Amino acid sequence: MNQNTVQLNGLAKRLVSDGTLSEDDAKTAVTNSNAEKIPLAWYLSNAQLASPSQIAQTAADEFGTPVFDIDSLRLDSIPRGLIDNKLVEKHHTLPLFKRGNRLFVGVSDPTDLAAIDEIKFNTGLSTDAILIEPDKLQKAIEAYLNQEDGINNIEGLDDESLEDLDVEAVSDKSDNEDDTSEADEAPIVRFCNKVLLDAIKSGASDIHFEPYEKAYRVRFRRDGILVEVARPPVNLATKISARLKVMSQMDISERRVPQDGRIKMKISKNRAIDFRVNSLPTLFGEKIVLRILDPSSAKLGIDALGYEADQKQIYLDALDQPQGMILVTGPTGSGKTVSLYTGLNILNTEERNISTAEDPVEINLEGINQVNMNSKVGLTFAEALRSFLRQDPDIVMVGEIRDLETGEIAIKAAQTGHLVLSTLHTNSAPETLTRLLNMGVPAFNVATSVSVIIAQRLARRLCSNCKRPADDIPDEILTQEGFDDIGMDRSEIELYHPVGCANCNNGYKGRVGVYEVVRITDSISRIIMEGGNAIQIADQARKEGFNNLRISALRKAAFGVTSLEEANRVTKD
C-alpha cells in the first residue's frame, strides 16, 4: 500500500491532531499494522511511537470508552471455552467476564467491529468491547493462552502423571509393536517424559542424550548455549536410548546407522509439542538429539524478532512485491526458519497460493502447502520447485538452495512473476551473492532476480532484572571494538554487563536477532554484472547505509539489549 494513499481516521487521526504522532509516522504505522495483521494500538506500543497508557487514553477520549485496568482481574476468573483460541489470536481480543447473555471482551481498538461481530456470531452472545492498554492486553492474552495450553500446570505433574503422558510417534513407518518390551519400564518412561517436560518449561531448543565410556549426560541448549542438566547412571544408557527410539518410532534393533524420527507429546487437551529426533551411533552407544519444534515461534510477529526500523521496512517492502527473491542466510540455529515463517505468515491470505519445500517441515502452517523433501524417492528441492510452478503459485519458499539446479529453477520462478523465499548457508549478505555466482548461476540472473538478502545471527538478550551498567569500559576499547562506526554519539551508548539471578541463565534471558539486511540496488547490481567480489559488494552496501552484522550487533549492545561480550561472540572474527 502506498503511504500517500492512506487515509487517517479514528485513533490514528486523533493521535496526529493531539500532536502525539506526525502524519508520516501515523501513515507508516497504519500501513505496517495492516501488513502485519495486528491492531494499530499494538503496533504503536511495540514500536514505541507512543506509550501504551497514552494510546489507551487517546482511544478512550476519541470513542467515549473508559479504560479498564486488567491487572485488577484474576486470570483464573476469565471464562474459558466461550471463544476459540484461534479467534483470540486472530482478533487480539480476550474474554473478560460474562453477565447473563452478555459477553465482555478486552480490546485495544474499540472500532474493530469485525472482531466483535465474529465473536458474537460464534458465541451467540451479545458482545461488548472494553478498552485495555495494548501492552497489558498483549501480556494477558499470552498468559491466557499459555495457561489454556497447560504449560503452567507442568510443575504439578507427579510421577504417575509423567508415566501416563500422551506421547505419540509421528512417522510414515509401520508401528514397531514388537520393539517396545526393552524400554517399557516405568522409571525409564518417567525419566524421559520428565526431561522432555523440563526442556519445554526452561525454553530449551534442543535436548542432547550423550553416552560416554564411564558417564552418561543430558544437556539442554538454552539461549544457544548447552547446559548439563542430568547425569543418569551409565548402565541405563541403552534403556534410555531404546525408550526414546520407541517414542519416535525408530527401529530399536538397528544401532549401526543414524535414524530420524518425530515425537508428538500432548501435554494438555489443547497443547501438543513436536520433537524432531535423530540418533547417531558413537563409540560408546547412540547419541540422541531432540529438536523442540514450538509452533508459537512462527507467530511471534516481525516486531519481536529484533529488526531495526529501517531493516524491518526493507523486509516488508520486499514481501509486498509481486515477484523477486528474498534470501535469508546464516549458520544452523541462527533463526532463519523463524524469519521465513514470519514473512510467510504476513503473506498468508486467502487470495494467495503459497507452497513450501522443506527438509524437513518443522512447523505446520495452516493455509500453506508444505512439502517434505524425500531424496530416497527422488523428491528433491529442484523436483518440488518444478511441480510448484505447474500449480499456479503466487509465493514459493525453498528450504535451501544447495545446488545449481535448484538455484536456476528458483531464479527462473523469481523472474516469471513469483515471489521466492529461500536460505543459503553463508556468513554475510555479500558472500551470498558470490556463492550463487560460484554455483554457476549467471551474473545477470542474480542481479535481476534477487531483491533482498538478510544475513542473521542470534544473540542472547540481557536479563532486564539483573543487568548492571558497564561503566568500566574505557573509551579506547570502544574505539577499538568499532563503536565509532555505529552512527551513535558516545553519550547515547549504554553498555551493560550480565550478572545472573533466579529469573535468567547467567545474566541472559531469551535471544534477539542481529541482522544485515541488504537491498540489491542498481549500484550493487552493476558490481555483480561486472564480476565484482564480496569485498566490493560489502563496500558498496556500507556506502549505501546498510549495516553489516558487526555494526548491528554493536548497536544492540549500545542500546543495552545485549552485552559487548555477546556481540563479540556472535559477530567478531
Side-chain angles (χ1 to χ4, degrees):
M1 182 186 297
N2 188 325
Q3 183 172 309
N4 294 326
T5 66
V6 175
Q7 296 297 317
L8 297 180
N9 50 48
L11 177 61
K13 186 176 181 180
R14 179 63 180 264
L15 288 167
V16 172
S17 65
D18 287 351
T20 304
L21 289 181
S22 68
E23 187 170 347
D24 287 344
D25 283 346
K27 289 183 176 181
T28 299
V30 170
T31 302
N32 291 345
S33 63
N34 288 337
E36 297 175 34
K37 302 175 187 175
I38 61 174
L40 174 63
W42 283 34
Y43 180 87
L44 293 170
S45 176
N46 291 338
Q48 298 181 347
L49 292 173
S51 70
S53 59
Q54 191 176 28
I55 295 167
Q57 194 55 56
T58 302
D61 294 342
E62 177 69 14
F63 306 118
T65 305
V67 180
F68 177 71
D69 182 10
I70 198 169
D71 291 337
S72 65
L73 186 70
R74 287 175 51 192
L75 190 63
D76 56 10
S77 70
I78 290 178
R80 297 186 179 275
L82 293 177
I83 302 179
D84 187 271
N85 284 354
K86 291 182 180 178
L87 279 183
V88 173
E89 292 181 295
K90 176 182 176 183
H91 292 303
H92 309 285
T93 61
L94 183 66
L96 299 177
F97 40 84
K98 180 173 172 284
R99 300 287 184 268
N101 68 339
R102 300 187 74 81
L103 178 64
F104 296 85
V105 297
V107 300
S108 60
D109 182 0
T111 64
D112 190 358
L113 300 181
I116 303 301
D117 289 343
E118 187 168 357
I119 291 171
K120 183 177 179 179
F121 175 80
N122 279 272
T123 61
L125 300 170
S126 297
T127 305
D128 293 333
I130 294 181
L131 184 61
I132 297 174
E133 292 181 27
D135 61 331
K136 291 183 178 180
L137 179 60
Q138 197 168 357
K139 290 177 183 176
I141 289 175
E142 290 172 0
Y144 171 83
L145 294 173
N146 281 339
Q147 192 177 73
E148 181 77 11
D149 291 340
I151 289 292
N152 295 337
N153 297 323
I154 292 176
E155 291 283 0
L157 290 174
D158 54 21
D159 284 352
E160 185 176 351
S161 302
L162 286 169
E163 193 173 338
D164 293 336
L165 269 172
D166 185 1
V167 177
E168 173 189 346
V170 181
S171 174
D172 295 330
K173 299 181 289 186
S174 60
D175 293 339
N176 295 327
E177 295 178 357
D178 298 333
D179 293 337
T180 61
S181 58
E182 182 179 352
D184 192 21
E185 296 184 19
I188 300 297
V189 171
R190 287 198 299 270
F191 173 77
C192 291
N193 287 348
K194 186 176 188 305
V195 169
L196 269 58
L197 289 170
D198 285 346
I200 296 168
K201 284 189 296 180
S202 68
S205 59
D206 303 89
I207 312 170
H208 294 242
F209 293 85
E210 301 169 315
Y212 299 97
E213 184 177 11
K214 296 180 180 179
Y216 188 85
R217 71 176 177 182
V218 181
R219 293 191 290 172
F220 293 168
R221 187 177 293 279
R222 291 196 293 246
D223 297 336
I225 305 295
L226 283 169
V227 179
E228 184 175 311
V229 295
R231 275 190 177 259
V234 69
N235 62 328
L236 296 181
T238 303
K239 292 183 178 180
I240 292 172
S241 64
R243 170 61 186 166
L244 293 169
K245 289 169 73 175
V246 167
M247 292 168 73
S248 51
Q249 210 163 25
M250 298 178 187
D251 182 358
I252 67 171
S253 65
E254 179 56 78
R255 301 174 184 170
R256 299 165 298 173
V257 296
Q259 296 186 64
D260 291 300
R262 202 172 174 111
I263 298 171
K264 182 184 288 292
M265 174 177 276
K266 191 170 184 181
I267 58 178
S268 76
K269 183 174 67 174
N270 301 304
R271 174 86 176 209
I273 297 288
D274 284 347
F275 299 82
R276 195 177 76 213
V277 189
N278 177 265
S279 71
L280 177 70
T282 66
L283 192 58
F284 299 106
E286 290 177 286
K287 173 173 179 175
I288 298 183
V289 176
L290 288 75
R291 167 66 60 88
I292 301 174
L293 308 176
D294 187 359
S296 64
S297 65
K299 300 177 182 179
L300 287 174
I302 196 167
D303 284 318
L305 299 186
Y307 286 96
E308 294 198 24
D310 56 336
Q311 295 176 332
K312 181 179 74 171
Q313 195 58 51
I314 292 171
Y315 189 19
L316 289 173
D317 288 345
L319 291 171
D320 199 38
Q321 298 301 312
Q323 66 183 53
M325 179 180 285
I326 301 172
L327 293 173
V328 182
T329 77
T332 301
S334 60
K336 298 188 298 296
T337 300
V338 173
S339 285
L340 287 175
Y341 279 8
T342 299
L344 290 176
N345 274 321
I346 292 172
L347 295 167
N348 188 12
T349 63
E350 183 181 347
E351 298 82 17
R352 294 186 175 109
N353 176 19
I354 305 176
S355 297
T356 73
E358 304 174 58
D359 185 20
V361 172
E362 293 195 355
I363 297 171
N364 176 41
L365 299 175
E366 188 174 348
I368 293 177
N369 309 292
Q370 297 172 274
V371 179
N372 222 356
M373 297 301 93
N374 187 346
S375 58
K376 292 180 180 178
V377 297
L379 182 54
T380 61
F381 284 123
E383 194 58 40
L385 263 174
R386 288 193 189 94
S387 295
F388 290 167
L389 295 179
R390 292 192 288 268
Q391 294 207 339
D392 185 32
D394 297 300
I395 295 141
V396 171
M397 195 269 272
V398 187
E400 183 183 351
I401 296 177
R402 296 176 177 171
D403 51 48
L404 176 60
E405 184 181 19
T406 306
E408 286 182 330
I409 300 172
I411 292 277
K412 178 183 176 183
Q415 291 175 328
T416 54
H418 307 90
L419 182 62
V420 179
L421 292 82
S422 190
T423 72
L424 273 138
H425 285 284
T426 57
N427 292 325
S428 68
E431 289 177 30
T432 302
L433 295 167
T434 55
R435 172 74 183 278
L436 288 171
L437 297 174
N438 291 338
M439 277 185 184
V441 179
F444 176 79
N445 287 344
V446 173
T448 56
S449 59
V450 179
S451 52
V452 167
I453 302 176
I454 301 171
Q456 66 180 79
R457 302 288 188 274
L458 288 178
R460 289 180 292 171
R461 189 188 292 269
L462 282 166
C463 174
S464 57
N465 289 328
C466 65
K467 66 182 182 180
R468 65 173 176 83
D471 299 327
D472 54 344
I473 303 179
D475 281 350
E476 56 267 25
I477 296 296
L478 297 182
T479 300
Q480 184 180 326
E481 293 287 355
F483 281 94
D484 291 342
D485 301 325
I486 67 173
M488 294 174 65
D489 189 83
R490 284 288 172 88
S491 62
E492 300 175 298
I493 297 174
E494 296 183 3
L495 296 176
Y496 291 86
H497 286 310
V499 177
C501 65
N503 298 316
C504 66
N505 300 313
N506 299 317
Y508 298 96
K509 188 173 184 180
R511 289 191 286 179
V512 64
V514 175
Y515 302 94
E516 176 184 19
V517 181
V518 176
R519 185 175 60 247
I520 308 305
T521 62
D522 292 342
S523 300
I524 294 176
S525 294
R526 194 175 303 111
I527 293 173
I528 295 169
M529 288 189 284
E530 291 173 354
N533 57 34
I535 295 174
Q536 293 171 301
I537 296 170
D539 287 342
Q540 183 60 36
R542 196 174 300 114
K543 289 177 185 176
E544 298 192 26
F546 302 121
N547 289 338
N548 60 28
L549 283 167
R550 177 62 180 167
I551 290 177
S552 294
L554 291 177
R555 286 179 63 85
K556 287 285 190 299
F559 286 122
V561 177
T562 190
S563 65
L564 177 57
E565 298 94 322
E566 186 67 4
N568 285 337
R569 185 183 72 85
V570 298
T571 64
K572 199 166 187 179
D573 295 332

